[in-house]
Every structure is written in C-alpha cells, then in structure tokens.
Amino acid sequence: MRLGLVGRGPVGRYLATRLDPECWTGRELGLVDHLDAVILAVPDDAIAATAARVLDRFAPKALIHCSGATPISVLAGADQVAVWHPMRPFPVGEHVQSLDCVVGLRGDSIWVDRFVTWSREWGGTPVRLQEDQALQVHLACCYAAGATALMTSLARMHFLQAGMAAQDMKVAIRGLSHPALEAVLAHGAEAITGPARRADYGVMDAHRQLQEPSEAQLSTAILGQLKAFGLIPPS
Amino acid sequence: MRLGLVGRGPVGRYLATRLDPECWTGRELGLVDHLDAVILAVPDDAIAATAARVLDRFAPKALIHCSGATPISVLAGADQVAVWHPMRPFPVGEHVQSLDCVVGLRGDSIWVDRFVTWSREWGGTPVRLQEDQALQVHLACCYAAGATALMTSLARMHFLQAGMAAQDMKVAIRGLSHPALEAVLAHGAEAITGPARRADYGVMDAHRQLQEPSEAQLSTAILGQLKAFGLIPPS
C-alpha cells in the first residue's frame, strides 16, 4: 500500500513510525501522485484547506484525517474517506509507546477496517462511530481531558499556595482524583462527593474567601450542574 | 492507651479496626470516663455539638476530629486537640485496604506525632499542617475530588448518550483523564489541552448545541478560568 502522511507534529510522528509511508511531509506538501491514501495529521483548523490542496494537486484515492471534532465532509472529493481519532493526548517531545486509548473510527469501511486492525496492534481500543455521534463523543473527550485538567490545575494551585510540598501535592491529587473518577465510572454522578454535593453552603462560603472571581463563577456553575443532575435541591 | 471512637460510618469503621478502641459508639455516646482521647468520626455539621456533649459528659483528656473543613477550635475545652484528615473518599460498603492518600494533621504534637506514625503504618502519607493552611488544603481537595468527579460524570453521560458501550466509555475516560491529570501534575495549567484552551470558538459553538443550559454556564466559567490563568487572551 502506498501511503502519504502530512504533519510533522506528535501525531504525524507517531503514524510515520508505525505506517512507514512512502511520503511524509509538512505543509510544503511534498507528496506524489497515485497514492492509495493521504493521512492528514494537521491542526483541526488546517484540515479542510489541506485536504483541498492535496486533492487538487495529487488526487490520492483516499483521504483520512485524525480529528474528533472535524466533520468527515471536509474530505469530500476523494473516492474514499475516513477518520482515525485517537482519544488521548500526544504530548510534544514525549514518545508514545502503546496507544492505551479508545480510537474513534468513521468513514468508508475499507479504511475503517484497516485502522481497526492497526489500532488494535498499536494497543488501542477501536470503536466504530457514525458521523452523527462524532461531535458528542468529542464533547465527552473535552470533559474527560481539558476540563478535568483544569480541576487538577486548581487543586494543584491551592495545595501549593497553602504551602504543601510538590511531592505531597502529587500524592494528594492522585489519591483523591483516581478514586473519585473510578467511583463515577462505576456508579455515575451519584458518586460525586464534597460540600457542593452535600449542599453544605457553610463550607462553600468559607471557600469563597480563598477564591478568585473566576473560581467563584466556576463554583456557581458546578453547583448549577449538580442541581441540573438532580443531586441537590434547586434553591 | 484508652481510646473512645464516635461514629459508625466508613471512617469510624476504618479507625475501629485499626485502633481497637475501648469504646466504639454511635450518636448514643456510649463512652466512659477517663479516656485518653475520643475520636469523632461524625459528619462535619455534627462535630461541634458532639464535641461539646462528649466533653460535658465524659471529659476525655483529648478530642480529635477527622474533617478537613472544620476548624480545630470546635474541640476547644479538651486539654489536647488534634485533627486527622485522610484526603480520600471512604465509599460506603467498600473495604479500604491501604490508605494510599495524604493525611492532613494539625493540633497538639503529642497526638499529631502518634497519628503520623499510625498513618504511615496504614499506608498513608502524613503531612503536618498549620491551622491557617487547612481551609485552602480542603478547597484543593474539593477540586481534586468532587469537581473532577463532576467532569467525569459529564464525560460519561455524553459518551453513553452518543451510543458508546459502557466498557468502551470507561477505557476512553481513563485513557483521557489519567494522562491529562499527570501532565498537569508535572507541568501545571500550561498542560491543559482542548478547544477551550486553544480558544477554538468554532468547536465550542458546535458543542453548545449538545449542551444543557447548566453545561453552557459551566463551559463559560471554564473559559473564564482559563483566561484568569492567562492561558487564552481575554475577549
């Protein structure tokens, strides 16, 4: 199979070492004609324009992108299209050994089937998605990654500001977050704990004295979400 | 040493099996006189009243509570006071084997020293805190536990609503949240990822179509916190 790969970032490098493409290029698009597929491992906002340029200049048989948030329709014009979306961070400068994540796959079955096989070989858990599921799956990913990371950042900041040593801070956060996360995976939102969950307004008011306005707004929104879940009474 | 223990909940049961107290009681306060210490493993909002009743009726030499959010001053009146705060959930009906968490300790050194030794024996990481650090440490705990659990709940809900199988949902969340959390522990808020972090308003607007009003409010607050951290430009 003759593959082209666009993108020199962490995802591009990951795919290059595993798929051994005939051409591997950055934005200069050093590709060739008659490729079976070109995989676009470029930033989300560059996918549509890159797809159009690749199709126009090299007309590969298939186009594939790697973004959970981008519709497959931006690849329109290729005979075969697919999306391979590994649901994990690819940190700059770190070597990803085993994929260890769910991989969302959509598009034409010939390519989805190939990426199912490859993703399994690479240590991932492939999941076939319909196009109309993709955006909600991506929203879920954002809660599990970025939003969770923000809560970790606030915990880290307050532990350190309170004078806790960095090593103790790490032990504290792991010891709190991992069981909290696993309890929700097992039991759903019912497993949430803490003063907001108990509608303990005394403790929450005391916390407010230590919070910046942005954190106070976040706490109000957290309380609102707990109410929307029916976990605490509306006030 | 002659110990009394008040509280039949998960923390009370945990301490009962490890400390083998002379008296272990619920709210009926079946204690005796001349105890070296009484440990109060009762809900936060019951600590002050229980402390007063125990002191009045049994006058133990020391009083100890287990709450991160409650000032040590509610124990005033005992000769010696201390707080032992294990920073982890104690799920109802589950057996806690090793503590595997940071334990916050404050109060009189004779009891703090004892609980440092015991906490280490039980698999915990004891950390001595000043009273004026306690509330901020507790706020940090709430971000690492309850707020993180809320983000996990939202991720879980959207993965399931999108039609993902429960087992794949669990693999997806673990694969996203654990690396996100570890990246923040190593690098701080700079390591946060996702469309909000990139100020990708196109993706955020698309997500809004799938969010309830409470989630939209939460997303706005998350964006505000990222701005307050200086991670994205103020708009």
Side-chain angles (χ1 to χ4, degrees), chain B residues 116-205:
Chain B
V116 162
T117 305
W118 290 334
S119 299
R120 281 211 186 100
E121 287 174 8
W122 304 338
T125 302
V127 171
R128 293 164 198 264
L129 300 173
Q130 298 303 311
E131 184 64 14
D132 63 4
Q133 298 174 281
L135 190 65
Q136 191 164 23
V137 166
H138 185 258
L139 173 58
C141 291
C142 293
Y143 284 121
T148 297
L150 180 62
M151 300 310 136
T152 307
S153 301
L154 287 161
R156 180 183 189 273
M157 180 185 80
H158 283 292
F159 275 130
L160 295 177
Q161 282 181 2
M164 195 181 275
Q167 192 47 48
D168 292 334
M169 173 275 292
K170 292 179 186 183
V171 174
I173 290 178
R174 290 188 192 113
L176 288 157
S177 296
H178 290 182
L181 188 150
E182 286 299 323
V184 169
L185 292 190
H187 306 293
E190 282 289 339
I192 297 170
T193 60
R197 171 73 174 84
R198 294 191 302 272
D200 184 338
Y201 294 104
V203 169
M204 281 188 282
D205 285 346

Side-chain angles (χ1 to χ4, degrees), chain A residues 47-142:
Chain A
I47 293 173
T50 309
R53 286 173 60 213
V54 167
L55 268 181
D56 186 50
R57 290 170 55 185
F58 306 101
K61 199 162 173 186
L63 268 182
I64 293 147
H65 78 61
C66 306
S67 160
T70 305
I72 200 166
S73 57
V74 302
L75 305 177
D79 282 353
Q80 302 160 350
V81 293
V83 176
W84 176 81
H85 174 226
M87 297 181 198
R88 59 163 290 153
F90 281 77
V92 175
E94 280 178 44
H95 183 67
V96 172
Q97 198 62 257
S98 172
L99 259 188
D100 284 339
C101 69
V102 168
V103 180
L105 290 162
R106 40 197 165 108
D108 290 309
S109 59
I110 183 167
W111 285 100
V112 167
D113 289 349
R114 281 174 184 145
F115 273 101
V116 163
T117 304
W118 289 334
S119 299
R120 282 211 185 99
E121 285 173 11
W122 302 338
T125 301
V127 171
R128 292 163 199 264
L129 299 173
Q130 298 303 310
E131 184 63 13
D132 63 4
Q133 297 173 281
L135 190 65
Q136 191 164 24
V137 166
H138 184 261
L139 173 58
C141 291
C142 293

Side-chain angles (χ1 to χ4, degrees), chain A residues 31-46:
Chain A
L31 296 170
V32 296
D33 289 339
H34 306 298
L35 291 168
D36 291 303
V38 171
I39 304 172
L40 308 175
V42 299
D44 286 16
D45 57 8

Side-chain angles (χ1 to χ4, degrees), chain B residues 58-143:
Chain B
F58 305 102
K61 199 162 173 188
L63 268 182
I64 293 144
H65 76 61
C66 306
S67 161
T70 306
I72 200 165
S73 56
V74 302
L75 305 177
D79 283 353
Q80 302 160 349
V81 294
V83 176
W84 176 81
H85 175 226
M87 297 181 198
R88 57 163 293 153
F90 280 78
V92 174
E94 280 178 43
H95 183 67
V96 172
Q97 198 62 256
S98 172
L99 260 188
D100 284 338
C101 68
V102 168
V103 180
L105 290 162
R106 38 198 167 108
D108 290 310
S109 60
I110 182 168
W111 285 101
V112 167
D113 290 349
R114 282 174 184 147
F115 273 102
V116 162
T117 305
W118 290 334
S119 299
R120 281 211 186 100
E121 287 174 8
W122 304 338
T125 302
V127 171
R128 293 164 198 264
L129 300 173
Q130 298 303 311
E131 184 64 14
D132 63 4
Q133 298 174 281
L135 190 65
Q136 191 164 23
V137 166
H138 185 258
L139 173 58
C141 291
C142 293
Y143 284 121

Side-chain angles (χ1 to χ4, degrees), chain A residues 87 133 136 138 143-144 146 153 156 158 161-162 170 174 176-177 182 184-185 193 207 211 214-215 225 228, chain B residues 87 133 136 138 143-144 146 153 156 158 161-162 174 176-177 182 184-185 193 207 211 214-215 225 228:
Chain A
M87 297 181 198
Q133 297 173 281
Q136 191 164 24
H138 184 261
Y143 284 120
S153 300
R156 179 183 188 276
H158 283 291
Q161 281 183 2
K170 292 179 185 183
R174 291 187 191 114
L176 287 157
S177 296
E182 287 298 323
V184 169
L185 293 190
T193 60
H207 283 171
Q211 294 176 310
S214 57
E215 291 183 72
Q225 186 59 52
Chain B
M87 297 181 198
Q133 298 174 281
Q136 191 164 23
H138 185 258
Y143 284 121
S153 301
R156 180 183 189 273
H158 283 292
Q161 282 181 2
R174 290 188 192 113
L176 288 157
S177 296
E182 286 299 323
V184 169
L185 292 190
T193 60
H207 283 170
Q211 293 176 310
S214 57
E215 291 183 71
Q225 185 59 53

